[in-house]
Amino acid sequence: MTPTEALTASRYFAGVQQMLAERGVPVGSLLEGTSISEGLLGDAGGFIGLEDQDRFLANAIRLGANRQPGLALGRRLNISAHGSAGYAGLTAANARSALQVAVRFFPLISQLVQLSVTEDQEFASVQVTPLPGLSQRCEDFMIQTLFSSISLMAGFLLGNQAASLRLEMPGEPDDAILAGLAEVRDGLRFGCSGYRIRIPLAILDTPFALADAAAHHQAITRCEQELSALEARRSISARLYQQLLLSEEAIPSLEQLAEQMQMSSRTLHRRLEAEGQRFRDLANSARMSKAAQLLDQGWSVTDIAYQLGYGDSANFTRAFRRHYQVPPSRFAERSSEEGKNPIDGTPPL
């Protein structure tokens, strides 16, 4: 499996480490099996890769006896704890401007999820889309940290109006989540098709008390610099692979992706070759990762084959068997029997 190099700022894992240190958990035990150093945890500009994130969280859940550390972490994060992106949101004119900041600069926080915004007649809706193929603990940690932090910040920035926010998520009602999202408890919706944050249009343009145009401009400039530096450190194959995973339709072509990345297909092909990667392999790996996720969601083999661009289900089944060494039907049965990415198991990264 090609690594996605989906990074998350190390400050969030430092926050988990501090919580567990208060309970007497030594940092060495928390970092066991990872390549994370104590220095990286303390680096305000540091980032941690996907595999290390998952192993760190597996240790944290085991040592802390808490399957939902993101809920507790989010309650500790004030807006400035999110770095330049948080400061840009804090000094924004209103919630509409802060949403634009969040969508543009969320990669400075984490690349495990992607944000997009739509509006209808009543709400501005932020769709929060986890990267396909994440372990359940990584997905839960990022979503719960995000929602818990938003709950806290909404109470600070919007006061009583925070109660009009809606947070939507899959699954059954959970007492821990209800307690961790106290400020927006009345607006929580479970059993939904995905993760969404819905903000009434009526409060979208409410001025923020700490709005500061000059400070906001400085923060945006800093965010742009940090985002450019972050993109420069990621390989072209990792950036391409993430685009493949996040595409909503069937796997796009090399030419389509080159256009999205603002380069010629010849240049993209040449840069992949320089990294020892082939587009065909990346596309196949992304296609299989999507297939596994759709199987977990209960899709039929025929529908998945159609969604991913296969001519028929037989071709898809053969490709799936080559990749995972089991047919799709058996993969789906195993996921149902064991649960998606068991909490103490090794995730299919």
Side-chain angles (χ1 to χ4, degrees):
M1 175 77 170
T2 302
T4 64
E5 296 183 23
L7 305 173
T8 296
S10 57
R11 67 173 70 93
Y12 300 101
F13 298 92
V16 174
Q17 186 271 319
Q18 290 166 7
M19 288 194 303
L20 293 183
E22 294 168 6
R23 301 182 59 180
V25 176
V27 64
S29 298
L30 189 57
L31 300 182
E32 185 178 351
T34 76
S35 62
I36 304 171
S37 66
E38 291 188 50
L40 178 57
L41 281 182
D43 182 357
F47 287 87
I48 295 175
L50 180 56
E51 185 173 355
D52 278 338
Q53 292 176 59
D54 191 79
R55 290 176 178 171
F56 179 100
L57 290 173
N59 290 340
I61 291 166
R62 173 174 52 83
L63 295 167
N66 179 3
R67 287 175 176 257
Q68 298 169 314
L71 289 174
L73 177 64
R75 305 298 298 176
R76 292 180 169 225
L77 299 176
N78 57 33
I79 297 176
S80 61
H82 299 291
S84 299
Y87 193 61
L90 180 67
T91 55
N94 49 42
R96 185 184 300 276
S97 179
L99 276 183
Q100 294 170 351
V101 169
V103 172
R104 172 78 178 108
F105 298 113
F106 201 80
L108 296 176
I109 293 173
S110 179
Q111 294 153 25
L112 298 192
V113 301
Q114 185 180 53
L115 308 185
S116 60
V117 179
T118 58
E119 290 189 17
D120 57 28
Q121 293 183 337
E122 294 185 69
F123 293 93
S125 296
V126 183
Q127 187 75 35
V128 184
T129 306
L131 195 68
L134 290 183
S135 68
Q136 193 65 53
R137 55 178 160 255
C138 279
E139 180 175 318
D140 288 347
F141 175 73
M142 183 48 57
I143 295 294
Q144 291 170 6
T145 300
L146 173 61
F147 277 19
S148 179
S149 180
I150 284 173
S151 176
L152 188 67
M153 288 189 292
F156 174 70
L157 292 172
L158 299 174
N160 292 335
Q161 290 181 312
S164 63
L165 266 64
R166 290 186 185 174
L167 298 183
E168 300 178 356
M169 63 190 72
E172 298 295 322
D174 184 295
D175 289 341
I177 292 176
L178 289 166
L181 307 180
E183 291 81 3
V184 296
R185 180 188 180 104
D186 292 341
L188 287 177
R189 301 290 185 273
F190 295 89
C192 301
S193 59
Y195 302 102
R196 283 199 304 177
I197 305 158
R198 306 195 74 198
I199 305 171
L201 295 182
I203 67 172
L204 204 57
D205 295 315
T206 300
F208 281 175
L210 297 179
D212 185 321
H216 182 68
H217 176 74
Q218 292 177 348
I220 291 293
T221 299
R222 179 62 178 167
C223 285
E224 292 285 6
Q225 294 170 344
E226 292 177 3
L227 192 61
S228 294
L230 180 61
E231 283 299 304
R233 68 183 283 180
R234 300 180 70 213
S235 67
I236 195 70
S237 55
R239 292 165 56 193
L240 181 64
Y241 186 70
Q242 188 164 6
Q243 289 296 320
L244 286 165
L245 288 175
L246 292 173
S247 64
E248 295 182 359
E249 305 299 331
I251 297 297
S253 66
L254 179 68
E255 289 72 23
Q256 290 171 317
L257 290 167
E259 183 177 355
Q260 291 177 22
M261 300 173 77
Q262 299 182 328
M263 65 180 71
S264 70
S265 57
R266 181 176 298 180
T267 297
L268 180 54
H269 178 75
R270 185 171 60 250
R271 292 184 64 177
L272 284 174
E273 280 192 330
E275 294 179 3
Q277 299 285 354
R278 297 189 302 175
F279 176 73
R280 182 177 62 185
D281 295 336
L282 293 172
N284 184 62
S285 184
R287 189 179 285 111
M288 290 299 103
S289 182
K290 286 187 170 189
Q293 185 182 49
L294 294 175
L295 284 167
D296 279 337
Q297 294 173 4
W299 282 47
S300 72
V301 170
T302 300
D303 287 344
I304 294 173
Y306 176 78
Q307 175 72 12
L308 297 181
Y310 287 92
D312 55 51
S313 59
N315 284 332
F316 164 66
T317 297
R318 282 193 292 271
F320 192 94
R321 186 193 291 270
R322 282 197 301 270
H323 191 81
Y324 286 110
Q325 287 76 56
V326 294
S329 57
R330 177 56 190 147
F331 185 95
E333 290 171 3
R334 187 175 63 187
S335 294
S336 177
E337 292 165 0
E338 300 177 357
K340 182 183 175 184
N341 298 319
I343 201 72
D344 292 317
T346 302
L349 295 177

